[in-house]
Amino acid sequence: MTCQEVNEYLDRTSPADMSGLPEVVRKHLDNCECCQRLWGLLSRRPCPRQVPEPVRSRIEQDVLGSLEPVKPLPEPGKLTLAFALVFGGFSALFAVLMASSDAPGVSTASFAAFAGVIGVIALWLSVTLSREMVPGEIWRLSRIATHAVAVVGLFGAMALVFPWRIDEPFVQEAWKCYKAGFVLALPAAVLAVLLLRRGVLFSPRFACAGAGFLGGLVGTFSLHFSCPTIGAAHITVGHLMVPVTGAVIGFAAGHLASARWSAENVPGPAVSS
Amino acid sequence: MRTAQADSDELQRLMSGYQQADREAAAKLVERVSPMLLRFLAGPLQTRAYAEDMLQECWLRIHRSRHTYRPGTPVLPWFFAIARYTRIDAYRRRRQIDANELAVEDLSTSGAGQSALPDAADTDLWRLVGQLPPSQQEVIQMLKVTGLSLEEVARATGSSVGSVKQKAHRAYQKLRELLNLDSAARKNA
């Protein structure tokens, strides 16, 4: 048995209680001075820190003084559904209102696939945003990786579906779509932020970036149904930059909110980063 | 002997009572959880007074966030996630104050560099753990000092179990090196 293998037991065992340890681990500890010292150090758990009575009284005063029943947040599935409905509701409405009667320039399958990818990414973000609201939730990926998956998925799908070309006039058409997409994104982004505020945001920057991205996807989805231009350059700048801008603005807004709360030394809602 | 599961169930019951404004449940919860939170907040370089201030702030945040706890889910990761960010925010505020002011009257009560640990066993542990990078320190504190499980630490820190294990194993390796250096220094002394 190696010291690295002993680490696995150290993870899951209280060093102060060796009764459940396999014989092979005990033997290693008997023979390895290094692990013996480490095991000894970590078994010396600092003495329980009793909270002084005046401190405990003040805490109880704070807690019991304003004690009222509260309604717990809904289950994770319902929160995810709420964010998904924000995306779905606005996207469906705008897509129907703005749908072009012209046939899409790509195959029906590609058209549907890209719409599907946008929907899946929106669902991915909905799950992420519902997790942002609750302390102690499980995160299998870091926040940065979670958002990176959304961006890579969107741009990757675009690269696969749309032909690489620049349609003229490029700047005017791209700007027209970008402006329209941005306006369409706003109500969904704002609603997503209002939903987020029901929870506790430990990472307001990433949470608001996610809300901005989700709102931006509404714009992208609506433009997908209304814009006849299919060149990848136009899609990238005119359509996909909408959620990217939403994420950047959301991140900045989250940063400002976090800085303001820190400056005011406000104890809650618990926000940082 | 109470099992960990029985303790966990009891805390969940108290937490649900707290959400329903049961005063007795709230008081019991404060009594049961505060020592664990204080042990976590009183890291290697904190004075007792500073740790107690953070504990009060932490409970204010807990109180304002109590609606976010989902009945039936593990309680300790929820508490420690809030405690963790209380500590991060307090550290950032203190860093801003230190950068902007030279508060002479605060120097004597400043947490930096002072330890208010009551006994030698604590001192050794904190002295060595204090030399770890902050992320590893935090994991060791939660895992070994406060006694949370890997899964609970992962939830409290918003990371995966694999990431927590990686940090813990790096910390064990670093602690082994520090213990070896310590031992060599004592032999030479």
Side-chain angles (χ1 to χ4, degrees):
Chain A
M1 168 151 281
T2 64
C3 298
Q4 275 65 43
E5 286 165 332
V6 168
N7 287 345
E8 293 289 331
Y9 289 92
L10 203 45
D11 285 339
R12 296 198 178 269
T13 314
S14 166
D17 174 20
M18 295 181 59
S19 57
L21 280 182
E23 191 54 38
V24 63
V25 178
R26 288 173 192 264
K27 216 172 165 183
H28 178 91
L29 288 176
D30 286 340
N31 295 324
C32 177
E33 212 182 309
C34 199
C35 284
Q36 234 178 61
R37 277 202 290 268
L38 179 65
W39 206 272
L41 178 78
L42 295 177
S43 66
R44 279 180 251 151
R45 188 178 287 184
C47 56
R49 292 181 180 274
Q50 290 310 312
V51 180
E53 190 49 41
V55 176
R56 198 160 68 90
S57 298
R58 278 200 299 272
I59 291 170
E60 278 185 15
Q61 234 175 355
D62 289 336
V63 167
L64 299 178
S66 58
L67 192 60
E68 287 169 6
V70 293
K71 193 175 164 195
L73 278 181
E75 289 155 15
K78 287 185 182 166
L79 285 175
T80 301
L81 185 61
F83 285 109
L85 282 175
V86 167
F87 166 79
F90 281 109
S91 297
L93 175 67
F94 294 143
V96 163
L97 288 175
M98 296 167 56
S100 168
S101 53
D102 299 332
V106 293
S107 68
T108 308
S110 298
F111 185 85
F114 191 66
V117 165
I118 297 174
V120 166
I121 292 171
L123 186 61
W124 171 264
L125 283 172
S126 299
V127 171
T128 303
L129 290 175
S130 71
R131 285 211 180 100
E132 288 280 5
M133 295 170 68
V134 179
E137 278 293 293
I138 300 173
W139 286 83
R140 299 201 199 284
L141 289 178
S142 67
R143 283 180 172 85
I144 292 177
T146 302
H147 287 85
V149 164
V151 172
V152 167
L154 193 62
F155 282 82
M158 181 278 301
L160 290 173
V161 167
F162 297 100
W164 283 93
R165 67 174 196 236
I166 297 177
D167 299 296
E168 295 296 343
F170 173 72
V171 174
Q172 283 162 304
E173 291 300 309
W175 177 237
K176 203 166 79 177
C177 279
Y178 177 82
K179 269 191 313 186
F182 191 83
V183 168
L184 296 174
L186 282 175
V190 167
L191 198 52
V193 169
L194 289 175
L195 268 177
L196 279 172
R197 282 177 60 85
R198 273 277 294 146
V200 162
L201 302 181
F202 285 140
S203 297
R205 293 184 191 118
F206 282 104
C208 293
F213 201 96
L214 188 71
L217 285 179
V218 169
T220 303
F221 191 87
S222 311
L223 290 168
H224 184 57
F225 280 84
S226 61
C227 176
T229 312
I230 59 164
H234 173 85
I235 301 293
T236 302
V237 176
H239 298 197
L240 300 196
M241 279 301 143
V242 174
V244 171
T245 309
V248 168
I249 293 175
F251 190 89
H255 176 74
L256 286 173
S258 169
R260 186 171 67 86
W261 279 316
S262 285
E264 288 171 0
N265 200 1
V266 173
V271 291
S272 69
S273 74
Chain B
M1 194 167 87
R2 290 177 72 90
T3 62
Q5 187 56 47
D7 282 343
S8 175
D9 291 343
E10 172 72 3
L11 283 175
Q12 285 182 21
R13 195 185 61 74
L14 290 174
M15 190 65 206
S16 293
Y18 178 29
Q19 287 180 316
Q20 287 154 34
D22 179 340
R23 296 179 73 85
E24 198 183 316
K28 273 194 188 151
L29 203 57
V30 170
E31 190 187 324
R32 288 278 299 272
V33 178
S34 296
M36 294 175 75
L37 292 177
L38 185 58
R39 201 181 294 142
F40 171 70
L41 293 168
L45 295 174
Q46 312 293 358
T47 60
R48 181 179 282 265
Y50 190 71
E52 287 164 4
D53 281 347
M54 276 201 285
L55 180 65
Q56 268 191 270
E57 188 180 326
C58 184
W59 268 105
L60 278 174
R61 292 179 184 223
I62 287 166
H63 190 59
R64 289 177 69 152
S65 315
R66 65 194 188 279
H67 66 287
T68 63
Y69 169 72
R70 290 203 186 98
T73 59
V75 174
L76 289 180
W78 185 87
F79 273 107
F80 277 90
I82 296 174
R84 181 175 176 258
Y85 278 96
T86 303
R87 202 163 78 164
I88 290 171
D89 278 351
Y91 173 69
R92 285 197 180 132
R93 278 202 305 273
R94 194 169 71 175
R95 223 171 42 176
Q96 274 181 331
I97 291 170
D98 289 347
N100 295 334
E101 298 176 2
L102 182 57
V104 174
E105 64 273 23
D106 286 343
L107 284 176
S108 60
T109 56
S110 161
Q114 290 189 14
S115 172
L117 299 166
D119 61 46
D122 290 3
T123 307
D124 265 351
L125 177 64
W126 286 139
R127 182 172 55 82
L128 294 173
V129 169
Q131 295 180 57
L132 297 173
S135 59
Q136 290 175 20
Q137 246 181 64
E138 183 177 70
V139 163
I140 291 294
Q141 265 196 283
M142 285 193 184
L143 208 51
K144 294 297 156 198
V145 176
T146 317
L148 299 184
S149 67
L150 277 174
E151 290 75 17
E152 287 169 338
V153 174
R155 279 177 171 257
T157 55
S159 49
S160 63
V161 169
S163 170
V164 171
K165 275 178 85 163
Q166 197 181 53
K167 286 179 192 163
H169 290 195
R170 284 183 185 156
Y172 301 149
Q173 189 50 40
K174 179 78 182 164
L175 285 172
R176 283 189 178 94
E177 288 166 16
L178 291 171
L179 281 165
N180 282 341
L181 285 172
D182 224 34
S183 171
R186 282 178 198 197
K187 276 184 189 152
N188 291 336

